[in-house]
Amino acid sequence: MQQTKTLVLPLAQAGHWRDYYELTKPKVVLLIVFTAIVGMFLASPHMVPLGTLLLGTLGIGLAAASAAAVNQLVDQRADAMMARTRGRPLPTGHLDTAHALGFALLLGALAMGILVAFVNTLTAILTFASLIGYAIVYTMFLKRATPQNIVIGGAAGAAPPVLGWTAVTGQLEPDALLLFLIIFAWTPPHFWALAIHRRKEYAEAGIPMLPVTHGVDLTRLHVLLYTALLFALSILPFATRMSGLLYLTGAVVLGAGFLYYAIKLYIGDDERVAMQTFGYSIVYLMGLFACLLIDHYVPAVLTLLM
């Protein structure tokens, strides 16, 4: 019996494949990869070369997964205090720190190797910078240093479409930076809506999110102001002729929906609205980038058909 315990324990500490999968925050990585892929297609007048599409997406996705794993490593004590995160592999003990760290480093090394060898050096450098920005600068320092943590740290999360763009072109261009600005402005109202709903848990975990340090009312105002800023920025791809009327229509409709929830959150007292706003913000970003992609290719397709 004693021998059986000795054999089983290391396996339990190493975790199941599902634990490693959850360590990467797959839903977050999926959104990151989607915006990166859209960046690739927008950077190309025709189709993205298959090798760049597959290997660029793989490298960017692995880097995002590595950053997510490091985030959970650093935050495991705080995660154990919060209902939303206490079921993660590290707080539950399904996965130990050593195996999680090794997995995170392996993903990061694979990501950099793929991007350097098969994509281009600029994309590898920018991807590495965004990984360090999220996993180290934001998670280890900013998150606990200032209630504006998500604004400053949001730069790392706004990088994926730029990474996709540079994977295709090998250079930074104004249109890519415009995509960066849109996600940069989207991040605060997206995350602060969640923080309003989870403010008591953040307070107990000692994380100075804006609704904890400055109250819910001010946070609601910030959500509204940033949503208005986001609406204005979302029109710029049309104003700069990066996109056409099809995108503009989608941006206005989606932006009006986001403003509706932000105003409803600002003037109301219904606790459910914060999570409704958070949920819509995800739909908004995916819809907006889908509109960019559709607008980029539909006119060309219609021209060929005609």
Side-chain angles (χ1 to χ4, degrees):
M1 180 65 71
Q2 182 63 38
Q3 185 178 4
T4 302
K5 289 183 178 179
T6 302
L7 292 172
V8 170
L9 184 56
L11 293 175
Q13 290 175 330
H16 191 274
W17 71 265
R18 291 189 184 88
D19 298 317
Y20 292 98
Y21 178 70
E22 292 300 325
L23 195 67
T24 64
K25 298 185 179 180
K27 293 180 180 178
V28 175
V29 171
L30 180 62
L31 185 58
I32 288 171
V33 167
F34 174 68
T35 60
I37 290 173
V38 172
M40 290 182 191
F41 280 103
L42 293 179
S44 175
H46 304 293
M47 288 301 294
V48 178
L50 184 59
T52 300
L53 177 62
L54 295 178
L55 294 171
T57 299
L58 180 60
I60 294 167
L62 287 174
S66 175
V70 173
N71 175 265
Q72 290 197 47
L73 273 165
V74 175
D75 279 350
Q76 57 183 298
R77 291 185 180 180
D79 285 348
M81 301 178 187
M82 302 177 65
R84 182 176 68 92
T85 55
R86 65 170 59 112
R88 288 175 173 174
L90 288 166
T92 58
H94 293 165
L95 194 62
D96 66 25
T97 298
H99 285 92
L101 177 60
F103 180 65
L105 293 176
L106 175 62
L107 292 181
L110 285 173
M112 293 304 106
I114 289 170
L115 293 174
V116 169
F118 301 108
V119 184
N120 58 62
T121 303
L122 176 61
T123 302
I125 292 172
L126 293 177
T127 301
F128 182 73
S130 65
L131 191 162
I132 295 298
Y134 179 74
I136 306 300
V137 178
Y138 167 70
T139 302
M140 291 187 176
F141 299 103
L142 289 176
K143 191 170 183 178
R144 291 164 178 79
T146 169
Q148 294 294 317
N149 46 24
I150 200 62
V151 178
I152 305 170
V162 178
L163 305 179
W165 192 289
T166 61
V168 172
T169 66
Q171 57 188 1
L172 283 171
E173 296 177 355
D175 286 345
L177 298 178
L178 182 52
L179 299 177
F180 171 91
L181 285 176
I182 289 172
I183 300 183
F184 185 74
W186 167 84
T187 303
H190 161 73
F191 200 87
W192 279 332
L194 174 65
I196 289 172
H197 181 71
R198 297 288 186 179
R199 60 190 180 276
K200 292 181 181 179
E201 294 179 20
Y202 281 117
E204 290 173 1
I207 300 175
M209 291 300 175
L210 190 64
V212 175
T213 60
H214 290 74
V216 173
D217 289 342
L218 183 63
T219 306
R220 288 171 174 165
L221 176 60
H222 276 62
V223 169
L224 178 58
L225 293 176
Y226 269 95
T227 303
L229 173 62
L230 173 62
F231 186 91
L233 289 174
S234 72
I235 304 302
L236 289 181
F238 174 76
T240 60
R241 298 184 180 180
M242 174 183 174
S243 297
L245 284 172
L246 190 61
Y247 165 75
L248 178 64
T249 302
V252 170
V253 171
L254 289 165
F258 206 162
L259 280 171
Y260 165 77
Y261 279 105
I263 293 169
K264 188 177 179 182
L265 179 66
Y266 178 66
I267 65 176
D269 294 319
D270 189 343
E271 288 288 330
R272 297 172 296 179
V273 176
M275 284 305 291
Q276 291 171 0
T277 305
F278 173 75
Y280 181 81
S281 70
I282 299 173
V283 173
Y284 168 86
L285 188 65
M286 294 188 70
L288 191 73
F289 272 73
C291 287
L292 282 165
L293 185 59
I294 293 169
D295 182 271
H296 187 64
Y297 282 106
V298 165
V301 172
L302 290 176
T303 301
L304 288 174
L305 292 176
M306 294 173 64

